[in-house]
Amino acid sequence: MTDKKASLTVDGLGETIELPVYAGTTGPEVIDVRALTGKGYFTYDPGFVSTASCESKITYIDGDKGVLLHRGYPIDTLAKNSDYLESCYLLLHGELPSESEYSEFVNIITNHTMVHESISRFFRGFHYDSHPMAMMCGIVGALSAFYHDSLDINNARHRIISAHRLIAKMPTLAAMCYKHSQGQPFMYPDNNLGYAENFLHMMFGSPCNDPDVNPVIARAMDRIFLLHADHEQNASTSTVRLAGSSGANPFACIAAGIATLWGPAHGGANEAVLNMLEEIGDEKNIDKFVARAKDKDDPFRLMGFGHRVYKNFDPRATVMKETCDEVLEELGLGDDPLLKIAKRLEQIALEDPYFIEKKLYPNVDFYSGIIMKAIGIPTDMFTVIFATGRTVGWIAHWHEMITDGYKIGRPRQLYKGATTRDFPERATRPPANPSIF
Ligand code: SDX
């Protein structure tokens, strides 16, 4: 594997620990620290800022250069020349499909878009105002109750059937969450429509009125799915890998990914961006909010800015911004007040020394919410759409982990609690005075 070594000396250890260093096809080299356990040491890396958790061939990010490759293809190239389902094929299989492979894949996905009729009964248990992400966590996890024929994770055929079912059914389930919240009947998928077009049909069509979907809006929706498809070992993808390492079925693993994505620091940021722009309300208030974002004593952060990896523009944000302009132009919303606030906020932040010094740039979530709001998608559905696009990335990493071979993920810790102590009789104990949990 390698001739390169790192040598570690520890005060008082009396020996030098030699650790192998591995190089990938590109990106930082890694130091294999597995030997440390045998020497009585763990590595310490809260938040996994400096930890490579696995090998992967799916997605590469260069945060300093603002580069994002899916199987070697730059994200802006895919956004311009490909579509979501072709990119799904690429992420799953490693190569772009031929004409016949593409047609067959589209046909398979199209013919898996319906869900079991019993699933519609699950929604009756949710109040109409349940958060759609709460519904998605429950419903996607429950899919494993329906598909007993594809739960053997060691069977490649089962894995690919589950992948097809999840990619195909997520838009249907997402639209069902929206319809439930609106008190409207669910719309069945239409096999004559494209993937994004079908989603918008299920979202905004009704038995009484089912207008054709605007092709510019459908293309924008497809691009939103594509731009969210995968992103290396982010929090939700790492969750899916960890869940999968226990042998859990793919539907349970994806439900765990959905739950993780919900957080405002992760996929919930697009919803948080819109809420923030609406709270700012007017360009004259921007300076106040930027000051709050810079105030160490104020937990407020500029949502849609910053990234664990990108210390340059998020290349997805650049494409998303172009798409935003296209959609608002098509819908005659070029002077949308929220867009004006967003563009002014971006300009101020990019000129502010605090953001420049901390390399805080707009990320994928900054403009996506404005597009989705313009299309008529409610804010609480934004992360559901992120999850729908990201499902293929989660499944691709889950599949890669299983085919590459894996151990159950089981991190250790730096223990700072009490050491062994005697058990006092209750009558003799002083008040515990517990702090609030
Ligand atoms: C996604 O990982 C992925 O790939 C995720 C994702 C994907 O596709 O899967 O790309 C999707 O999650 C995009 C990120 C969406 N989240 C947001 O937009 C929420 C706002 N952003 C921040 O919460 C933050 O930037 C994070 C969580 C995204 C990244 O945080 P890090 O890497 O843990 O960095 P940090 O919190 O240590 O911040 C570094 C410094 C801190 O200041 P100091 O303590 O060094 O003085 O920058 C500051 C932070 O206070 N900072 C911000 C800020 N983000 C970081 N200050 C103001 N506003 C912000 N948005």
Side-chain angles (χ1 to χ4, degrees):
M1 277 281 263
T2 181
D3 297 327
K4 199 167 184 179
K5 296 266 185 281
S7 300
L8 177 69
T9 57
V10 181
D11 291 347
L13 184 62
E15 65 170 302
T16 299
I17 304 174
E18 298 238 318
L19 300 169
V21 177
Y22 306 131
T25 44
T26 184
E29 295 183 342
V30 299
I31 300 173
D32 182 342
V33 295
R34 285 175 286 187
L36 289 182
T37 310
K39 303 289 182 185
Y41 290 95
F42 298 145
T43 58
Y44 185 63
D45 184 20
F48 309 121
V49 178
S50 307
T51 294
S53 60
C54 63
E55 266 190 34
S56 182
K57 300 181 181 69
I58 299 171
T59 290
Y60 174 70
I61 301 171
D62 182 328
D64 293 329
K65 295 185 184 131
V67 168
L68 168 56
L69 306 178
H70 288 323
R71 303 287 191 179
Y73 296 98
I75 188 66
D76 52 339
T77 304
L78 291 172
K80 207 169 291 154
N81 302 296
S82 186
D83 63 26
Y84 178 66
L85 286 187
E86 184 176 69
S87 299
C88 285
Y89 186 99
L90 173 67
L91 287 166
L92 288 174
H93 299 293
E95 297 296 338
L96 288 166
S98 65
E99 273 299 343
S100 62
E101 288 166 333
Y102 175 71
S103 303
E104 183 194 6
F105 185 72
V106 171
N107 186 51
I108 290 171
I109 298 300
T110 302
N111 286 284
H112 275 82
T113 47
M114 274 217 299
V115 294
H116 195 288
E117 277 298 300
S118 299
I119 285 179
S120 55
R121 288 203 290 272
F122 276 83
F123 283 90
R124 289 193 206 128
F126 294 114
H127 286 180
Y128 75 94
D129 58 354
S130 302
H131 196 291
M133 282 298 279
M135 293 193 262
M136 286 298 276
C137 287
I139 297 284
V140 172
L143 288 178
S144 47
F146 290 83
Y147 299 117
H148 302 288
D149 64 342
S150 62
L151 295 181
D152 175 0
I153 66 166
N154 298 307
N155 180 323
R157 184 79 200 123
H158 287 198
R159 292 201 298 271
I160 199 65
I161 290 172
S162 298
H164 292 158
R165 281 175 166 151
L166 280 157
I167 293 166
K169 298 179 194 306
M170 283 295 281
T172 308
L173 295 172
M176 290 172 85
C177 290
Y178 172 67
K179 286 303 194 188
H180 180 71
S181 72
Q182 301 297 307
Q184 291 179 11
F186 299 135
M187 291 296 286
Y188 285 100
D190 178 343
N191 288 359
N192 299 307
L193 301 179
Y195 189 86
E197 196 185 2
N198 206 359
F199 171 65
L200 293 169
H201 146 72
M202 293 186 283
M203 279 283 290
F204 299 119
S206 81
C208 329
N209 174 29
D210 194 8
D212 291 344
V213 174
N214 179 323
V216 173
I217 305 305
R219 177 73 183 133
M221 194 71 246
D222 189 272
R223 191 173 287 167
I224 286 174
F225 287 140
L226 193 161
L227 292 172
H228 286 90
D230 188 51
H231 213 239
E232 199 211 64
Q233 306 307 326
N234 58 84
S236 53
T237 301
S238 298
T239 300
V240 170
R241 279 181 173 261
L242 196 56
S245 75
S246 76
N249 74 69
F251 304 101
C253 295
I254 298 305
I258 293 171
T260 305
L261 188 75
W262 195 358
H266 189 13
N270 48 24
E271 179 175 355
V273 166
L274 250 291
N275 295 336
M276 175 187 73
L277 292 174
E278 284 166 350
E279 190 185 358
I280 292 173
D282 188 295
E283 289 183 59
K284 69 177 187 303
N285 299 326
I286 290 176
D287 290 337
K288 182 175 66 174
F289 280 85
V290 170
R292 283 188 57 195
K294 291 155 57 175
D295 178 356
K296 294 303 294 170
D297 299 324
D298 188 329
F300 174 78
R301 286 194 165 177
L302 226 42
M303 303 316 282
F305 277 82
H307 197 277
R308 170 61 58 77
V309 177
Y310 289 123
K311 302 309 171 190
N312 197 322
F313 255 92
D314 179 337
R316 301 167 297 175
T318 308
V319 180
M320 200 69 86
K321 187 173 177 181
E322 290 163 16
T323 306
C324 189
D325 289 337
E326 287 166 18
V327 167
L328 295 181
E329 183 66 31
E330 174 69 15
L331 298 176
L333 298 171
D335 59 354
D336 178 281
L338 289 182
L339 178 69
K340 282 184 169 177
I341 293 171
K343 289 193 168 178
R344 180 81 185 108
L345 180 60
E346 179 187 15
Q347 183 189 6
I348 290 173
L350 293 180
E351 291 163 2
D352 186 297
Y354 174 92
F355 290 85
I356 295 167
E357 178 205 314
K358 293 184 186 297
K359 299 181 178 178
L360 302 175
Y361 291 87
N363 58 46
V364 66
D365 295 300
F366 188 63
Y367 282 103
S368 58
I370 298 169
I371 301 172
M372 291 190 273
K373 183 176 188 300
I375 293 174
I377 295 167
T379 310
D380 64 7
M381 279 290 294
F382 289 2
T383 311
V384 171
I385 286 163
F386 191 150
T388 301
R390 183 54 56 86
T391 292
V392 64
W394 289 332
I395 276 286
H397 282 274
W398 170 77
H399 176 72
E400 180 181 65
M401 178 190 75
I402 293 171
T403 47
D404 286 356
Y406 63 96
K407 293 167 74 71
I408 186 167
R410 205 303 187 186
R412 301 305 302 273
Q413 63 182 8
L414 173 64
Y415 179 66
K416 290 271 188 111
T419 52
T420 306
R421 51 182 170 164
D422 295 333
F423 184 86
E425 287 307 315
R426 191 174 304 136
T428 66
R429 293 172 203 158
N433 293 330
S435 61
I436 295 172
F437 176 71

